[in-house]
Amino acid sequence: MTIDIYFFPPSPPCRAVMMLGRYIGVHFNVKTVNVLKGDQFKPSFKKLNPQHTIPTIEDNGFVLWESRSIMVYLVMKFAKNDSLYPKDPEKRGLVEQRLYFDMGTLFHNIGSYYGPVLLGLADQPPEQLLEPLERSFSVLDIYLQDSDFLVGNGLTVADFSIVSSVCTAKAVGFDIGRYDNVAQWYERCKKAMSKCGFEDVNEAGANIFGGFYKANLKS
């Protein structure tokens, strides 16, 4: 069965869902929502999703948004095993914690720091928000000090979510090389996700995002 996905290529959450879906063999019918042109505010889309956010999926009449919820849903319904979203309470608890860390801390701080320039509201990022962003990466580096991936030595949905955030930061000029564990993990993800769109979905979309940002940045 094909699932409709409302998608915008530069969006980190959209990229995470697309890669995860490809990884587990989900076939998407892509419907582009250009948020820069206000497509998300069209009545037809707001009727589907009153929060008018992307990504949004529609699976045989079931509508869901919020990328991390979508990824969990897709894995629970379509994955061949539970490795990406473990049933073990402790492992699942760690996956959930990493997802919430991404949503509430890492992705949030990336958006807060780079967003004003991206949206044309400023010509330089707010200097006072650099420290929280760097602290987020320091915490992420600690998460990765004893394992290949974010929860153990295999991919989980947390890796798909967070690598899209990190890829975005990298594309706008953040130096992830200062964080050894993060940089090594990023390369492992790139290899492990190579057949599900790491380059043509994740990095390509992030580079579009980076281009928007750099076009508005004043030296």
mmCIF file of all heavy atoms in Angstrom, residues 101-119:
data_model
loop_
_atom_site.group_PDB
_atom_site.id
_atom_site.type_symbol
_atom_site.label_atom_id
_atom_site.label_comp_id
_atom_site.label_asym_id
_atom_site.label_seq_id
_atom_site.Cartn_x
_atom_site.Cartn_y
_atom_site.Cartn_z
ATOM 1 N N PHE A 101 14.954 14.513 23.296
ATOM 2 C CA PHE A 101 16.127 15.382 23.301
ATOM 3 C C PHE A 101 16.247 16.116 21.971
ATOM 4 O O PHE A 101 16.531 17.319 21.925
ATOM 5 C CB PHE A 101 17.387 14.556 23.577
ATOM 6 C CG PHE A 101 18.677 15.276 23.266
ATOM 7 C CD1 PHE A 101 19.177 16.241 24.139
ATOM 8 C CD2 PHE A 101 19.392 14.989 22.112
ATOM 9 C CE1 PHE A 101 20.361 16.915 23.859
ATOM 10 C CE2 PHE A 101 20.581 15.661 21.823
ATOM 11 C CZ PHE A 101 21.068 16.625 22.693
ATOM 12 N N ASP A 102 16.030 15.397 20.891
ATOM 13 C CA ASP A 102 16.103 16.029 19.583
ATOM 14 C C ASP A 102 15.031 17.110 19.452
ATOM 15 O O ASP A 102 15.324 18.260 19.111
ATOM 16 C CB ASP A 102 15.927 14.980 18.483
ATOM 17 C CG ASP A 102 16.066 15.567 17.088
ATOM 18 O OD1 ASP A 102 16.904 16.473 16.899
ATOM 19 O OD2 ASP A 102 15.345 15.126 16.183
ATOM 20 N N MET A 103 13.817 16.746 19.759
ATOM 21 C CA MET A 103 12.698 17.674 19.561
ATOM 22 C C MET A 103 12.810 18.909 20.453
ATOM 23 O O MET A 103 12.637 20.043 20.000
ATOM 24 C CB MET A 103 11.382 16.957 19.833
ATOM 25 C CG MET A 103 10.152 17.802 19.601
ATOM 26 S SD MET A 103 8.651 16.828 19.878
ATOM 27 C CE MET A 103 7.409 17.994 19.349
ATOM 28 N N GLY A 104 13.105 18.694 21.722
ATOM 29 C CA GLY A 104 13.057 19.788 22.680
ATOM 30 C C GLY A 104 14.357 20.515 22.917
ATOM 31 O O GLY A 104 14.360 21.626 23.461
ATOM 32 N N THR A 105 15.472 19.911 22.498
ATOM 33 C CA THR A 105 16.777 20.517 22.785
ATOM 34 C C THR A 105 17.593 20.725 21.513
ATOM 35 O O THR A 105 17.827 21.854 21.091
ATOM 36 C CB THR A 105 17.559 19.653 23.786
ATOM 37 O OG1 THR A 105 16.783 19.497 24.988
ATOM 38 C CG2 THR A 105 18.882 20.307 24.148
ATOM 39 N N LEU A 106 18.042 19.654 20.884
ATOM 40 C CA LEU A 106 18.957 19.792 19.755
ATOM 41 C C LEU A 106 18.304 20.506 18.568
ATOM 42 O O LEU A 106 18.782 21.552 18.117
ATOM 43 C CB LEU A 106 19.470 18.416 19.325
ATOM 44 C CG LEU A 106 20.449 18.421 18.146
ATOM 45 C CD1 LEU A 106 21.735 19.149 18.510
ATOM 46 C CD2 LEU A 106 20.747 16.998 17.696
ATOM 47 N N PHE A 107 17.231 19.951 18.043
ATOM 48 C CA PHE A 107 16.550 20.557 16.899
ATOM 49 C C PHE A 107 16.032 21.947 17.251
ATOM 50 O O PHE A 107 16.110 22.889 16.452
ATOM 51 C CB PHE A 107 15.415 19.647 16.430
ATOM 52 C CG PHE A 107 14.687 20.148 15.218
ATOM 53 C CD1 PHE A 107 15.330 20.258 13.996
ATOM 54 C CD2 PHE A 107 13.348 20.498 15.291
ATOM 55 C CE1 PHE A 107 14.653 20.717 12.869
ATOM 56 C CE2 PHE A 107 12.664 20.959 14.175
ATOM 57 C CZ PHE A 107 13.320 21.066 12.962
ATOM 58 N N HIS A 108 15.537 22.078 18.475
ATOM 59 C CA HIS A 108 15.050 23.376 18.938
ATOM 60 C C HIS A 108 16.169 24.410 18.926
ATOM 61 O O HIS A 108 15.984 25.548 18.451
ATOM 62 C CB HIS A 108 14.480 23.238 20.350
ATOM 63 C CG HIS A 108 14.161 24.539 21.000
ATOM 64 N ND1 HIS A 108 13.028 25.274 20.692
ATOM 65 C CD2 HIS A 108 14.838 25.269 21.934
ATOM 66 C CE1 HIS A 108 13.022 26.391 21.406
ATOM 67 N NE2 HIS A 108 14.100 26.405 22.167
ATOM 68 N N ASN A 109 17.336 24.051 19.431
ATOM 69 C CA ASN A 109 18.442 25.005 19.500
ATOM 70 C C ASN A 109 19.025 25.325 18.128
ATOM 71 O O ASN A 109 19.475 26.448 17.879
ATOM 72 C CB ASN A 109 19.526 24.487 20.438
ATOM 73 C CG ASN A 109 19.124 24.580 21.896
ATOM 74 O OD1 ASN A 109 18.252 25.367 22.256
ATOM 75 N ND2 ASN A 109 19.739 23.776 22.747
ATOM 76 N N ILE A 110 19.010 24.346 17.240
ATOM 77 C CA ILE A 110 19.440 24.613 15.866
ATOM 78 C C ILE A 110 18.509 25.644 15.229
ATOM 79 O O ILE A 110 18.947 26.622 14.617
ATOM 80 C CB ILE A 110 19.469 23.313 15.038
ATOM 81 C CG1 ILE A 110 20.593 22.390 15.532
ATOM 82 C CG2 ILE A 110 19.662 23.621 13.545
ATOM 83 C CD1 ILE A 110 20.539 20.990 14.935
ATOM 84 N N GLY A 111 17.209 25.429 15.392
ATOM 85 C CA GLY A 111 16.235 26.356 14.826
ATOM 86 C C GLY A 111 16.305 27.739 15.443
ATOM 87 O O GLY A 111 16.193 28.748 14.746
ATOM 88 N N SER A 112 16.498 27.789 16.761
ATOM 89 C CA SER A 112 16.554 29.079 17.442
ATOM 90 C C SER A 112 17.759 29.899 17.005
ATOM 91 O O SER A 112 17.668 31.126 16.868
ATOM 92 C CB SER A 112 16.600 28.868 18.964
ATOM 93 O OG SER A 112 15.419 28.254 19.421
ATOM 94 N N TYR A 113 18.871 29.222 16.779
ATOM 95 C CA TYR A 113 20.097 29.938 16.421
ATOM 96 C C TYR A 113 20.105 30.346 14.946
ATOM 97 O O TYR A 113 20.411 31.498 14.616
ATOM 98 C CB TYR A 113 21.318 29.069 16.730
ATOM 99 C CG TYR A 113 22.641 29.772 16.480
ATOM 100 C CD1 TYR A 113 23.047 30.845 17.277
ATOM 101 C CD2 TYR A 113 23.480 29.372 15.445
ATOM 102 C CE1 TYR A 113 24.255 31.494 17.043
ATOM 103 C CE2 TYR A 113 24.685 30.010 15.213
ATOM 104 C CZ TYR A 113 25.064 31.079 16.017
ATOM 105 O OH TYR A 113 26.256 31.724 15.774
ATOM 106 N N TYR A 114 19.769 29.429 14.068
ATOM 107 C CA TYR A 114 19.860 29.715 12.640
ATOM 108 C C TYR A 114 18.561 30.260 12.037
ATOM 109 O O TYR A 114 18.578 30.866 10.964
ATOM 110 C CB TYR A 114 20.284 28.458 11.875
ATOM 111 C CG TYR A 114 21.688 28.013 12.201
ATOM 112 C CD1 TYR A 114 21.925 26.896 12.999
ATOM 113 C CD2 TYR A 114 22.781 28.714 11.724
ATOM 114 C CE1 TYR A 114 23.218 26.488 13.302
ATOM 115 C CE2 TYR A 114 24.084 28.319 12.028
ATOM 116 C CZ TYR A 114 24.291 27.202 12.812
ATOM 117 O OH TYR A 114 25.576 26.807 13.124
ATOM 118 N N GLY A 115 17.442 30.048 12.718
ATOM 119 C CA GLY A 115 16.141 30.418 12.177
ATOM 120 C C GLY A 115 15.969 31.880 11.806
ATOM 121 O O GLY A 115 15.422 32.187 10.736
ATOM 122 N N PRO A 116 16.379 32.833 12.662
ATOM 123 C CA PRO A 116 16.169 34.242 12.315
ATOM 124 C C PRO A 116 16.792 34.649 10.986
ATOM 125 O O PRO A 116 16.204 35.403 10.213
ATOM 126 C CB PRO A 116 16.824 34.981 13.497
ATOM 127 C CG PRO A 116 16.688 34.037 14.642
ATOM 128 C CD PRO A 116 16.904 32.676 14.035
ATOM 129 N N VAL A 117 17.991 34.134 10.696
ATOM 130 C CA VAL A 117 18.627 34.431 9.410
ATOM 131 C C VAL A 117 17.900 33.703 8.287
ATOM 132 O O VAL A 117 17.622 34.274 7.226
ATOM 133 C CB VAL A 117 20.119 34.053 9.433
ATOM 134 C CG1 VAL A 117 20.745 34.226 8.040
ATOM 135 C CG2 VAL A 117 20.866 34.891 10.460
ATOM 136 N N LEU A 118 17.581 32.439 8.520
ATOM 137 C CA LEU A 118 16.893 31.648 7.498
ATOM 138 C C LEU A 118 15.596 32.319 7.059
ATOM 139 O O LEU A 118 15.257 32.345 5.875
ATOM 140 C CB LEU A 118 16.602 30.251 8.052
ATOM 141 C CG LEU A 118 15.829 29.310 7.126
ATOM 142 C CD1 LEU A 118 16.709 28.865 5.967
ATOM 143 C CD2 LEU A 118 15.312 28.101 7.891
ATOM 144 N N LEU A 119 14.871 32.886 8.021
ATOM 145 C CA LEU A 119 13.577 33.504 7.731
ATOM 146 C C LEU A 119 13.688 34.962 7.308
ATOM 147 O O LEU A 119 12.679 35.629 7.087
ATOM 148 C CB LEU A 119 12.673 33.394 8.967
ATOM 149 C CG LEU A 119 12.333 31.971 9.409
ATOM 150 C CD1 LEU A 119 11.584 31.982 10.732
ATOM 151 C CD2 LEU A 119 11.528 31.246 8.341
#
